[in-house]
Amino acid sequence: MQLVKTQRDTLLRPLQIVSGIVERRHTLPILANILIRKDGEKVSFLSTDIEVQITTHAEVGSGSEAVATTVAARKLLDILRALPDSGEVSISLANKRLTVQSGKSRFALQTLAAEEFPTVAQAEQYNAQVTLPQKTLKHLFNMVHFSMAQQDIRYYLNGLLLVVEGKNVIAVATDGHRLAFCQVATEQEFPRQEVIIPRKTIIELQRLLDESDDEVKLEIANNQVKLTFADIELISKLVEGKFPDYTRVVPKGYKNSFTISREQLLRSLQRAAIMTSDKFKGVRWVIAPGSLKISSTNADQEEAVEELEIDYGGDTVDIGFNVSYLLDVLNNLKNDYVNIALGDANSSALVTIPDNADFKYVVMPMRI
């Protein structure tokens, strides 16, 4: 039975959308597959790793029958990528084997029954629904994602806190050493909702969301979040646990602050980072009236020193930072200037955008 007949690129796109979350090695072998459902011309493609589920659709069906099967996601994707760009591809199913044919190339793949495929059950009720332009949500995630923890024993840090409150949508991420906060205003108004979205879901959404004004509908339930945009539906379980109170972490009232060119500071830190070691990424800042001196050393007694002129008249502060944390934020910001506010050598630093209260980045000092 023929399932699909279409141009190679038309079929490649939905497969690329759903294949990102497919694990190569999983305790359930069927989760290396994608679920393909055909109902007349409409074909849906679904993948899941039990925590996250992505579905997309394409009008590529051939024939009027309704049929469903599952096939190895990576193999099918690799086959399509290797076929000529402009070729026509047909996919048919017979005797539990999926045949992919294009020109004189033919591939026969094993299938597993669609009934065996475990899909994520949708929540019966969503407590909040937010509609945002795709580029706005993507911007929100881009501004904080680099501060998410990776495989931290404090599992609630391995994700992003999303807060819907009043007319604001807020994203916060922290790994215990630094914290990023970003908010955007909406035209809707909501009661407060607070959920932790897993790291894997955030990274997948950054890949799938466009820099467009097309809308994304975000629905929040007690145990899951659902996002619908373009022809994509993504459902993700939430991380349970209590996220740290970010309002207490962001310092207030620092009197020592200066504004500096983001690009200039970024380049100086990149050069200073060359002399740090993989184990110890420390750079030392000495901030004095009119100057910022950045230095780094390593176990071989090698040294890098950078001196920058700054418009600063506050106290002299001698403080150390993990250079990777500073490079992360400067690489992700796109503004010409950043503002740095400091207390003393033992207090965290606050990085903000001049005349913009929507973004804050807190980085803890380190002992040099």
Side-chain angles (χ1 to χ4, degrees), residues 92-143:
S92 53
L93 180 66
N95 302 323
K96 297 184 180 179
R97 284 164 80 81
L98 195 80
T99 301
V100 181
Q101 194 148 359
S102 179
K104 294 189 176 179
S105 302
R106 188 169 61 83
F107 305 85
L109 298 170
Q110 276 191 329
T111 64
L112 292 170
E115 300 76 46
E116 304 291 320
F117 197 82
T119 55
V120 175
Q122 287 204 28
E124 289 182 11
Q125 182 184 353
Y126 290 97
N127 306 324
Q129 181 179 307
V130 185
T131 305
L132 291 167
Q134 284 192 48
K135 67 180 183 185
T136 302
L137 192 60
K138 186 167 186 158
H139 163 77
L140 202 58
F141 293 158
N142 283 349
M143 295 295 270

Side-chain angles (χ1 to χ4, degrees), residues 263 265-275 323 327 331:
E263 187 76 16
L265 182 58
L266 175 62
R267 297 287 170 247
S268 292
L269 287 169
Q270 285 172 333
R271 291 191 289 267
I274 295 167
M275 288 302 166
V323 72
L327 291 174
N331 275 315

Side-chain angles (χ1 to χ4, degrees), residues 26-46:
H26 206 288
T27 47
L28 288 174
I30 198 167
L31 290 180
N33 287 12
I34 56 166
L35 173 64
I36 302 174
R37 286 189 191 279
K38 184 186 90 73
D39 188 359
E41 284 188 6
K42 191 172 186 180
V43 181
S44 70
F45 302 86
L46 184 150

